[in-house]
Amino acid sequence: DIAPLVDNGNSVPVEITVDSPMTLAQHVVGIALFNEKNPQNQVAEFTLSPLSGRARVATRIRLALSQQLVAVAKMNDGSCWTHTVEVLVTIASCIEE
């Protein structure tokens, strides 16, 4: 969950939720967030277990420009689920010159 239009890229709230029962038999072991245009493409990485209760993480990130974000959830069976969103940023952040 992220706003499709962000006024300022300095502090953008992001929430990632995966529909998983979070049982020993079926659970999310990790969630990662990537972007395409920031100097550092790997934004965040979270480790989860059935003890987490829910497969939900939230943080704030910086976005240099309008770009796509990709969330990847790794499941305990080794499969990965992805979701991509486009975010428009009106005031850029963290651009190296």
Side-chain angles (χ1 to χ4, degrees), residues 18 20 22 26-31 48-50 55 73-76:
V18 181
S20 170
M22 295 303 283
Q26 183 182 359
H27 61 274
V28 179
V29 295
I31 296 175
L48 298 127
S49 77
K74 184 174 181 180
M75 307 304 289
N76 66 305

Side-chain angles (χ1 to χ4, degrees), residues 34-41 43 63 66-70 85-86:
F34 302 92
N35 64 55
E36 65 176 343
K37 295 183 181 175
N38 280 14
Q40 300 279 333
N41 294 106
V43 178
L63 291 176
S66 296
Q67 59 189 293
Q68 288 187 345
L69 296 178
V70 179
V85 295
E86 182 75 33

Side-chain angles (χ1 to χ4, degrees), residues 2 9-14 33 35 43-44 59-63 69:
I2 187 169
N10 283 316
S11 181
V12 181
V14 177
L33 182 63
N35 64 55
V43 178
T59 190
R60 290 184 172 272
I61 63 173
R62 294 180 76 176
L63 291 176
L69 296 178

